[in-house]
Each structure stands twice: as structure tokens, then as C-alpha cells.
Amino acid sequence: MEFDFTWILLGLPIVFALGWLASRLDLRQLRIEDRQAPKAYFRGLNYLLNEQQDQAIDAFIEAVQKDPDTSELHFALGNLFRRRGETERAVRVHEHLLARADLSRDDHERAQHALAQDFLKAGLLDRAEDALHKLDGTRYQEQAWLTLLSLHERSRSWPQAAEVARRLQQAGHGDFSARLAHYQCEQAAQLLHKNGDAAGARQLLTDAITGAPQAARPRIQLAGMLAEAGDAAGAYEQLVQVAEHAPQAVPLIASEWVRLARRAGRLPELVEQLGHSYALTPSVDVADALVQADVARGAPIQQAREGYVRHMAQEPSLIAASRWLAHEPFAHEGAHATVQRSVEHAARPLARYRCAACGFETQGYFWQCPGCLAWESFPPRRIEEL
């Protein structure tokens, strides 16, 4: 029986036609899917621009379902969940990304960084710390270290904070010597008050002075320790060093400096030093210290208080006026207390210190702002003088 090639010749065009039709159907389906995915994606972006986060999330979920391999959509979705406070869903999205074997190195680092942010947002600080440590050696390393530094400061883990600060400084990310000095001062205070370890506290303060000679706080703190131990002369010398290395801090130490000078028998020397400081930068606290020094040297209070008048001639000051008024005789002496109380009430808000970073105001001076946690953000001058 002979094979008839006619059927083959007739079938070839049919097979070709069917193949062409199938390919056209596949291409059409791909085009439909390609159009749908970007449509959902751009719809989500539009919702974001209009601050409609709920609708944006729905659109991105739709886009992810149509194209589950697209990492950018996962990142957008995870960030949206975090911004809305849905940190559990954000964590799941970023952990899913990290579990993917086909993720590029850059996207893996990005997902790890996003996961650390999720934990921070959720307040899971231990898990956030672990996630941040995994960013060592990545392009997010500096950000991770700075975040770790903030975490250790908030938890008052000063040795760990010091370790991170040293790593940042060694890596060339800035000068952290002043910050390290603060950490050592905090550790010294803990050692002294909790453990009674005066020797250990003094060594920490000495190390802080060596590492940051320009810092005022270690010397002020050391002066306080020496004064409590009965070493007025040593404490006085520490404050002399403060005036030499950090002259802007003299208003903070002026009154204590007078008390120490009186105990150490060095009042004439101190008056000269305070006068020099006041000539460079007039300050109501230094003016007040000069009045105290004059009284300590035996000057009558009515004569010594003229220092307030001289200060007001240079710098109008309600604080100085209140202190001058305290010893001014009244024609109607019965009104003195009422007037004095009113002036002091008006002057009290002006005697506060104000954080230059966040505006937090306080009666006492803080080395770290209780509001924004910035270091040395309080100018050592009263609000009245700013």
C-alpha cells in the first residue's frame, strides 16, 4: 500500500494556521496581563498621591497577586503597611522577601533594612537590634549604627552606646568624642550613686576629660565629686579648667565657683576671672556671681547689689531687676513683699533654659534634652538672654 503525501500537503497549512492562532492567543493574554498589572500599580500610586492609603494598599495587593515575583511591589506594600501602623503585615511582607532565593543582594539588604524599621515601629526593640546588626557591611551600615546608638541611649545602655559611637568614629562617620564624654559621665554617675564606687567614677571622668578636653561636663562633674569629698581647692581648679577650655559654660558654674573660691581662700583671684568672663560675654548669672563674691569679701549688700544695676545698663534684665529689688527699701514697706513676688513671678519664665532643637523649656540645665534627647542642645544662657 502506497503512502499518500497529499494529506500531508493539505495538513501543513492547517497546522501552521493553528499554531499561528495559538501564538496570537498567548500574546493577547500576555498583553492583557501586562496591561492589568501596571494599571493596578499606577492606580495604587495615584491613591498614594491623594493620601488614600487604604485604596492604595488594595491596588498594590491586586498588583502583587498578578505579578508575585516583582519585589518593588512588595516593598511598596510593606512600607504602606508600616505607615498605617499595621506592622505585623509589614513584617510578613519583608520576611517573605528575605526568604526568596532569587532576590538580588541589593534587594536583600533593602528588605533587611525595611524589616528593622518594622520592628522599630512596632516597639520590638530587641528584634530591631538583631535586625540592625545584620546590616553590618551593607550600604545601610551607617544608618543602622546610628539607629543602634539611639536605641542604646534611650535604654541608657551607656557601655553599648559607647561601643557603637567608637565604631562610627573609627569608620569616619564624624567626631563622637563629645558624645563619648557624656556616656562616660553617665556611667560615672551610675557608679557613684548606685554602687558607691568613687574611684571608678573618678577614673571615668578623667578618661572623659582626656578624650574630650573641650567638654565642660566631665570637669564640672569631677568638681562636684571633689567638693563633696572636702577637696575645695581641687574642685576650684577643675572649674578654672572649665573656664579655660569651655568659656561658654561659665554661667553654669559661676555661683558654685564663688562658693568653692570662698572655701579655698581664692576670692580675689576669682573676681578677676569672673570679671574677664563677663567682659567677653555679659551674663546675668555671672553678674549675680560677682555680687555674691563682693558680699563674700565683706562688701555691704547695698553696695554689692549695684552690680545688678551695671548689668541692666548693658543688658535689660527682669531677672537682675528682681534680684536688685529684693534688698531695695520701700517707702511703704508693707508693699515690698507683694511687689517682689509679682516681679519674681514675671521673671521666672525668663530664667528658664530652652532647647535649641525642639524648644523644650526647663528651670534646670540638662546636658541631654528630656524632650528630643539631643545632647548639649540647651545654650548655657537664660531665655531672657537668647
Side-chain angles (χ1 to χ4, degrees), residues 330-338:
F330 274 39
H332 301 285
E333 190 58 34
H336 189 285
T338 303

Side-chain angles (χ1 to χ4, degrees), residues 30-247:
L30 286 172
R31 286 172 182 166
I32 290 172
E33 291 176 358
D34 286 344
R35 282 197 299 270
Q36 287 176 340
K39 185 177 180 181
Y41 179 73
F42 287 119
R43 190 166 67 249
L45 289 178
N46 184 56
Y47 285 134
L48 272 183
L49 291 173
N50 291 311
E51 297 184 358
Q52 296 173 281
Q53 293 188 14
D54 292 341
Q55 293 89 334
I57 286 176
D58 292 338
F60 283 132
I61 289 175
E62 179 186 342
V64 167
Q65 289 171 345
K66 294 183 185 303
D67 191 3
D69 294 330
T70 303
S71 59
E72 284 298 332
L73 294 176
H74 286 79
F75 282 122
L77 195 56
N79 290 338
L80 273 174
F81 283 143
R82 188 193 315 123
R83 286 172 59 184
R84 281 193 56 188
E86 297 183 51
T87 50
E88 289 185 9
R89 300 178 75 181
V91 166
R92 285 201 300 270
V93 169
H94 294 129
E95 286 182 337
H96 170 72
L97 278 171
L98 287 170
R100 281 174 49 178
D102 63 335
L103 201 65
S104 69
R105 179 176 177 179
D106 284 348
D107 280 348
H108 189 278
E109 293 175 0
R110 183 180 173 189
Q112 185 65 46
H113 182 248
L115 184 62
Q117 291 178 305
D118 296 338
F119 290 141
L120 286 170
K121 180 77 172 179
L124 303 172
L125 301 186
D126 290 342
R127 297 184 70 182
E129 186 175 343
D130 291 339
L132 290 167
H133 280 303
K134 292 177 182 178
L135 291 169
D136 286 358
T138 71
R139 57 193 168 121
Y140 296 100
Q141 176 177 276
E142 182 182 356
Q143 296 177 42
W145 286 359
L146 289 170
T147 305
L148 280 170
L149 192 67
S150 177
L151 285 178
H152 292 318
E153 287 184 357
R154 285 165 58 186
S155 63
R156 304 186 71 79
S157 302
W158 304 118
Q160 292 86 339
E163 180 185 351
V164 176
R166 291 189 188 97
R167 287 163 64 187
L168 281 162
Q169 183 157 320
Q170 290 167 3
H173 297 310
D175 182 7
F176 287 83
S177 58
R179 188 82 68 94
L180 283 164
H182 283 298
Y183 298 158
Q184 289 167 315
C185 288
E186 294 286 351
Q187 288 177 263
Q190 288 180 348
L191 276 179
L192 187 62
H193 297 130
K194 292 184 178 180
N195 303 330
D197 185 359
R202 184 166 181 172
Q203 184 58 54
L204 279 167
L205 294 174
T206 302
D207 293 343
I209 292 169
T210 303
Q214 77 289 352
R217 184 183 181 183
R219 288 189 169 92
I220 294 174
Q221 207 160 315
L222 182 56
M225 281 188 63
L226 293 172
E228 285 186 18
D231 185 1
Y236 178 89
E237 284 300 330
Q238 287 300 322
L239 297 188
V240 170
Q241 293 298 311
V242 171
E244 180 179 340
H245 291 91

